[in-house]
Amino acid sequence: MLVVILSTSYSYTCAAERPNVLFLISDDLNNSLGCYGHPLVKTPNLDRLAERGVRFERTYCQFPLCGPSRNSMLTGLHPNSTGILRNSQIFRQTIPSHHSLPQAFRLEGYFASRIGKLYHYNVPKSIGTNGHDDPGSWELELNPAGCDRLQEEPHIFSLVPGRFGGTLSWYASPKPDRYHTDGLLAADAEWVLERCARQKDRPFFLAVGFYRPHTPYVSPKPYFKRYPKEDMPVVQGVKEDQADLPAPALGSYKREQDKLTDDLRRECVQAYFASITFMDAQVGRVLDALDRLGLAENTIVVFTSDHGYHLGEHGLWQKMSLFEESARVPLIIAAPGAGTPGGVCRSPVGLVDLYPTLAALCSVKVPENLQGQSLVPMLQDPKTLGRGWTLTQVTRGGRRHGRYFGYTLRTPQWRYTEWAEGERGRELYDHDADPRELVNLAADPAHAGTVAQLSRQLREAVKQTFPPSGQTPPIRERPWAPNLTDP
Ligand SMILES: [Ca+2]
Ligand SMILES: [Ca+2]
């Protein structure tokens, strides 16, 4: 009994001193950031966050689509264990009793708040609503909607007129930052942080989910001016590059993209880059508020994205491919007192690793079935290898043609991909020699040994993404009633 009392009072004392978490996530953001070495894109605020924290050079999502990726990240489970393989679903329909990342913090006394998109939202239609949110994850939710959603849609250019969410679309808005949804998110974040600074009885977990640079790429005009259209890159040599690819590798191509001319490609890239710099400015406002309110010293800041994004590489745009541009995301973790400021970690890590990492940094109890690794050893010494690989998966086919998976394994040197267990193709890229993944070595006899070894490693990794039963939990359509204390 004595042990129990001591342990309770110890954890209570710790709770009062636990660090806060500011979890910042952008939507459809690839690694076109200054701190990741991009030659054109300006991201001064994220660059200064990277100087304060550790920048993870090789971070990958587990599924290059909003809903499956975000459910995986926020449950700490691979999509084969969440059962969420499409948008517009929530893990409460498959594994209702699992504790989400913010829920684990709430259960230990944290004040958890969400502003904007954390779980899946249909963008732009669901902006201003809860989207496909999980009410059990938060104590306070804020859903601002700005001029981009409420006023400007008639002016947006789109490859398919009238459609903005899944289609390449953009607009240089005459309205300044503060009228836009992401500007309102930053203002709301300041407001919540002011409340947290006044009321310090509980630590906080504040999650801010920015919408840009997700389509439609709407941002104020001055951001477009920083990227002259004629300077925007257009990927060359696509036909030659595609010649050695199996068909599913290009399965995310959309027919409407046939309409793209080089002029439209430049406009599209300009608008995407403008949206990134606009989003970076809003991140800056939130970071400034953290400093101004004296919260920075005891707050862990995370910045990431839900998946990467193509801007014409291999002839592809947007997401849902297993190439580097689509699978890779930025990840910066600034953990005061627990990290190496300005450190760069080159080990492959995944978004699935965030849950155990933040829980470890804050001494929060986690469910026993989490599938990621803690990145705390990498924060302390960025040379730590850790698990040494990351797995990303995607679906192809569909109800009519038979659904199958593509899996890709990323190690420090290689990307190895199998479509339908190799029956519909394989890809192998040597990142030491070919960082743009232009030369598929999978059929090269000189690399047969590497293919065999990576194929074994991939299959072993895939096994680890399933629950102990070996079965992906099925979707239940009945609604789930949130219940925080006895879920
Ligand atoms: Ca997304
Ligand atoms: Ca190629």
Side-chain angles (χ1 to χ4, degrees), residues 23 62 66-84 89-104 118-119 134 137-138 205 351-357 359 365-373 465 473:
F23 190 102
Q62 272 47 75
C66 304
S69 174
R70 288 164 181 261
N71 273 279
S72 166
M73 175 182 74
L74 292 168
T75 57
L77 301 172
H78 281 266
N80 288 334
S81 289
T82 64
I84 305 301
Q89 297 173 334
I90 183 82
F91 71 95
R92 300 297 178 189
Q93 294 172 267
T94 49
I95 44 169
S97 304
H98 186 75
H99 292 167
S100 72
L101 163 62
Q103 185 183 11
L118 264 295
Y119 292 94
D134 171 41
S137 288
W138 323 103
F205 184 108
L351 291 179
V352 74
D353 299 333
L354 284 176
Y355 190 157
T357 304
K365 279 196 295 289
V366 298
E368 282 174 7
N369 61 338
L370 293 193
Q371 294 170 332
Q373 62 181 339
T465 65

Side-chain angles (χ1 to χ4, degrees), residues 66-68 71 84 86-90 93 120-122 132 477:
C66 304
N71 273 279
I84 305 301
R86 295 198 291 128
N87 280 337
S88 310
Q89 297 173 334
I90 183 82
Q93 294 172 267
H120 177 252
Y121 263 72
N122 184 335
H132 300 100
E477 296 299 340

Side-chain angles (χ1 to χ4, degrees), residues 241 244-245 438-439:
D241 169 25
D244 60 4
L245 292 176
L438 295 176
V439 184

Side-chain angles (χ1 to χ4, degrees), residues 237-245 314 323 429 434 436-440:
V238 165
K239 276 247 148 53
E240 299 85 329
D241 169 25
Q242 290 183 343
D244 60 4
L245 292 176
H314 317 287
F323 288 111
Y429 301 104
D434 179 25
R436 293 174 60 203
E437 300 182 333
L438 295 176
V439 184
N440 179 7

